[in-house]
Every structure is written in structure tokens, then in C-alpha cells.
């Protein structure tokens, strides 16, 4: 396993971690100031600053972009909105290319509006990915499916396990891989085998870290800082590294009532300390 | 598929559905008064009324007992509390026998105290079940493992999929089966195949219904009434019935801010109506 304790070389901050405190300009400058070499960008913040300005600022600070969040949401508009959804995903690919992002992170989308058919949702996602993929390949932007925890199956993402993500990648071929977020997958009894399977295909495009708090008080916005919860992060990192992953460890914490209320500098300093000691 | 629309013949009410309104005596009498032929009992309520009185009252009203909730929690006390946990589970088996319950419902327990090792938790559960099973067989009480949704993996149950429950039953042999609760399993991409697998072994000991609300505002206490959420209950019922299940449909709703605040009679009347029309 790689040694994280000596420096920040493999650390990336997903800007959602400080999204309530900082706009994108502040986040880029603050992350650089904290001696962190990489970040992951969200599209809403990107739109506010502007793609050209963001690209320039990120380059000036020499930061790597570990991902652009997020494309996907194939089911959200149902069949009627298919054309628009795909168009928006193509714009996301263009943005990821401009940012030289390591990948475009894709969230599948939940059940289609008014539907109770999760099998149908999964077929819509597969078809949407198949249609999007040639554009991503041409742009040189890897697509990263991020399986989300099953508690998001209804309203955010109907791809809920690494096995499903691997199955999708098997069907879809080159140009698509997986973002492994410990928050979503830590409970999975097939975790080791599915990470190994993804690794054999060189499919792991991102590794996201945070923690699962006990108790968890909000389904979406109560993620914990690494070390404050029950996820065995080093064990999962060992699996992804044994599977060949050599990229960044990206901190992504949505925390309405704790970390989003603290000064962003404190959040980053804590993330650095935890990354070096408990990850 | 069986026709539920004409009568309440296959309906059971888990008393947790009205736990804030009624004690066990009131629940037994109220369920009988509503023309519902079965109930599932919780041990805390049973302790208050007393086993002998409860048994007598249930018999007098001619109600079937579809389950006793709950045994298990093998990991809660860690290794130190193993003896005590097993003793408590044996008492639960005795109570289930006295009530002539169709099964004792088992919740596995989450991570052991202070532990981040979910593999260890799963081994503790397997060993605990193996130790408990001879006693249950001797008492003629089927044990029903209820896999819980992965969002409970940390603090309630480390058995989170039907596949894991089936694997456990394969290892443990006769006398142990599975309670299928739509709330916990509806999202599972392996749902159809694992229900069929359970059916081939005559392992399905209970079928629990409620609904998944969008949004869900509490991880534990915001379950929906059938029809108010996104679970395709008839589709899952079709799977369990095709797999040979011919028992009751047990309504189990924990609903802090809605159903627990309404008159119990209204809750039961609504459950009956929904059972007949949307399940």
C-alpha cells in the first residue's frame, strides 16, 4: 500500500466538501494554498465561474482535476427528455475535456418519473450510456459510473453495486469505468471480488473517501470526516490499490450540520490530517 | 397470484405499525375487531402484557401469529456478551413456541462495538446462528433471518441482501429461513433470482410489506403505507408466490411523523384498503 502519511501527493478535494463556504474561485485558491495538489469540480460551481476562467485558474495553480461532477441522470426526464439529457451530458463531456479532468463522474438517475420499475430505469441508463459513450471516446474523456448506496435507488441512482457497474462496463466496452466511493460500497459483501474484477479491466477511475456516521441523521447530507465513522478506509484502499489503482484519494463530504458550517480552511486542514493518519 | 381484493384472509398486522397508539392487549383486540386474522408481535410489548396473558388473548380472538420480533442482534454485545445474547435468543424461541408463532424473526446486528470489520460481524452472526439453531429445532420454531437494507449495516444488521441470507441458510441447514421485507430488498438487482433460490429450498417464512417514500426523511422511522411510495409490491409478491410462498402478507410500518400519530383504527382501515387494492 502507498504511504499517505508523509505528504499530500495523492490527496484531492471534491469541492462539494466546502460548497457552502466557497465558490469555485475560492475553492481553487484555498485548495492550492493548503498545499493540496488536486480537486474535483461540480458543474453548478463551474457554470458560475465560467469554464474558461476556471480552466485558467486551475492551470495557474497547477492543480490536477480528478473528476467533473456530474453527468448521467439518464432517467430523470423520462423518455421525453432523453434528447435533452444526452445533450447536457455531451456538454459535461466537453467541460471535462477542457478541464483535462481524469473522468466525468456519472450518477445513473433513479426511477423514471411516476415509475416503480427499477428494471426499466436500469435499462434506460444502459441505453443512455451506450448512446453517450462514442462522444466521450472521441473527446478522450473517460466516463466513470459511480454506483450509489441502495438508499438512493429511488431518487438518485439505480446503479447500486459495484457488480452492476462492472456488468454495465462489460456490456459497454472501452471508455467507461467506475468511481469507487467508500460511502456507497463499504457494506457490500461482494466488495473485494468486485473491486478485483474492476481492477483486472483497469476500470477504477476514481477513489472517493469520507465516512459513515453512526447514527446517520440525513440520507444525503450527513457524511462524516474520515475517521469519525465506521468505514475501514485503509482496508478498502488496500483493495483498490491491489487492483492496480494508482490515482488520487478524493475527499467528498456532504455535511449540512457539521463540516459545511465550519471555516473551509479548518475543513481542509482536518481532511489533510485525517488523510495522513486514518486513510 | 393470489387475489387479495376480496377479503382479509392473507393479511397480518405487525404491531409495530401501531406501537405508539396501542399496547399489546389493545392491538390484539383492535386487530380482531378490524377483521384481520393475524398479527406479528414484538417482545417489548409482550413483556409488558406477559406471555401467558398474551397467548390466551390471541387464542381467544383466533388470531394467527405470523412472527415474533425479534431475536438476533448477535454482534451487539461483542464477544463478551455472547452467552447473554444466546440466552436471550433462547428465551425468544420459547416465547415464539408458546405463541405458536410461524417464526422468530432475527435481525443480525451491526458492527460489533468499536469495530469497523463487517466481515467479522458477519462471522459472529453465522456462529451465533449455528449455536442457536439446535435449540430452535428442538422447540419447533423456525428462525427467519431478515436481511435489512444496507443503510442499517453499521448499527442494526450486517446481513443486507437475500443472497447473504441464502448463503447463510445453505451453510446452516434445516430450521432456518428468510423473512422477505419489500422495504429492505426492493432495490436489489438480484431480487428475482434470490427469491427463486429461497423458494426452491422452501425457505421463505414471511413476507412483509410497506413502502419506500420519496423523499425518505428518517433512516429508520419514515416507512410509507403501501401505495404511497415507489415499491412495486405486486411484482415482488408475484416473485415470492411463484417461489411457493403461501403465507400471510404482514404490514410493518415504522412511521414516526405520520402513521404513528393517527388513530390506530384509521391506520388499520387504511392498511386493509391498501392491501386489497395496491398490493
Amino acid at each position: 500500500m502507498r504511504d499517505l502519511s508523509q505528504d499530500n501527493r495523492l490527496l484531492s478535494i471534491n469541492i462539494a466538501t466546502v460548497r457552502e463556504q466557497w465558490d469555485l474561485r475560492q475553492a481553487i485558491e484555498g485548495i492550492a494554498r493548503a498545499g493540496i495538489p488536486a480537486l474535483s469540480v461540480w458543474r453548478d460551481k463551474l457554470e458560475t465561474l465560467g469554464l474558461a476562467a476556471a480552466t485558467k485558474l486551475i492551470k495557474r495553480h497547477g492543480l490536477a482535476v480528478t473528476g467533473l461532477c456530474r453527468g448521467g441522470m439518464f432517467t430523470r426526464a423520462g423518455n421525453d427528455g432523453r434528447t435533452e439529457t444526452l445533450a447536457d451530458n455531451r456538454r459535461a463531456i466537453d467541460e471535462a475535456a477542457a478541464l483535462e479532468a481524469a473522468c466525468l463522474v456519472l450518477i445513473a438517475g433513479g426511477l423514471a418519473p411516476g415509475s416503480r420499475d427499477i428494471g426499466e430505469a436500469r435499462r434506460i441508463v444502459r441505453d443512455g450510456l451506450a448512446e453517450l459513450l462514442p462522444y466521450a471516446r472521441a473527446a478522450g474523456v473517460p466516463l466513470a459510473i459511480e454506483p450509489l448506496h441502495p438508499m438512493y435507488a429511488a431518487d438518485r441512482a439505480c446503479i447500486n453495486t459495484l457488480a452492476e457497474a462492472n456488468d454495465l462496463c462489460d456490456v459497454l466496452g472501452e471508455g467507461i469505468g467506475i468511481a469507487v466511493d467508500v460511502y456507497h460500497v463499504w457494506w457490500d459483501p461482494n466488495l473485494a471480488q468486485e473491486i478485483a474484477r474492476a481492477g483486472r479491466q483497469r476500470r477504477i477511475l476514481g477513489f472517493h473517501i469520507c465516512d459513515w456516521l453512526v447514527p446517520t441523521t440525513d440520507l444525503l447530507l450527513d457524511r462524516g470526516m474520515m475517521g469519525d465513522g465506521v468505514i475501514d478506509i485503509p482496508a478498502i484502499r488496500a483493495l483498490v490499490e491491489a487492483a492496480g489503482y494508482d490515482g488520487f484519494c478524493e475527499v467528498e463530504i456532504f455535511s449540512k450540520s457539521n463540516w459545511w458550517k465550519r471555516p473551509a480552511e479548518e475543513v481542509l486542514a482536518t481532511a489533510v490530517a485525517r488523510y495522513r493518519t486514518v486513510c
Side-chain angles (χ1 to χ4, degrees), chain A residues 125-149:
Chain A
V125 170
R126 182 199 59 201
D127 294 346
L129 285 169
E131 197 161 339
L132 189 63
L133 193 49
Y135 191 89
R137 287 181 186 134
V141 172
L143 300 180
I145 307 172
E146 183 169 347
L148 296 201
H149 195 284

Side-chain angles (χ1 to χ4, degrees), chain A residues 10-218:
Chain A
L10 300 171
L11 176 60
S12 173
I13 300 290
N14 186 304
I15 62 166
T17 306
V18 289
R19 84 167 191 203
E20 297 298 306
Q21 299 96 323
W22 279 348
D23 63 23
L24 182 53
R25 174 179 298 279
Q26 291 170 310
I28 293 167
E29 291 171 347
I31 285 166
R33 204 164 51 236
I36 295 165
L39 85 172
S40 183
V41 176
W42 279 68
R43 292 184 71 207
D44 55 342
K45 298 272 191 184
L46 183 62
E47 193 175 352
T48 306
L49 179 55
L51 180 61
T55 306
K56 203 168 147 188
L57 196 61
I58 289 168
K59 283 220 159 114
R60 188 190 313 154
H61 286 284
L63 299 175
V65 179
T66 52
L68 177 64
C69 302
R70 59 193 186 190
M73 286 294 177
F74 294 106
T75 57
R76 181 162 273 180
N79 270 327
D80 296 343
R82 182 182 172 79
T83 306
E84 196 184 323
T85 300
L86 284 164
D88 187 58
N89 272 286
R90 290 193 194 98
R91 283 193 295 276
I93 289 169
D94 293 342
E95 293 163 10
L99 290 168
E100 296 177 27
C103 61
L104 172 64
V105 176
L106 299 179
I107 304 302
L111 297 166
S115 169
R116 290 187 170 90
D117 186 345
I118 197 164
E120 174 200 41
R122 287 166 176 155
R123 288 187 293 276
I124 293 173
V125 170
R126 182 199 59 201
D127 294 346
L129 285 169
E131 197 161 339
L132 189 63
L133 193 49
Y135 191 89
R137 287 181 186 134
V141 172
L143 300 180
I145 307 172
E146 183 169 347
L148 296 201
H149 195 284
M151 69 184 171
Y152 305 120
D155 53 355
R156 290 197 137 64
C158 61
I159 305 300
N160 305 106
T161 61
L162 285 168
E164 289 182 277
N166 269 320
D167 289 348
L168 269 175
C169 291
D170 282 349
V171 170
L172 293 166
E174 289 297 307
I176 186 157
I178 299 173
V180 177
D181 186 317
V182 298
Y183 194 74
H184 298 302
V185 304
W186 72 274
W187 62 273
D188 188 344
N190 298 320
L191 185 61
Q193 76 193 56
E194 292 296 333
I195 285 176
R197 176 181 166 200
R200 282 193 297 276
Q201 307 292 332
R202 313 294 300 166
R203 234 172 230 169
I204 304 175
L205 301 178
F207 179 59
H208 302 177
I209 52 178
C210 66
D211 216 332
W212 181 281
L213 299 176
V214 177
T216 292
T217 59
D218 185 283

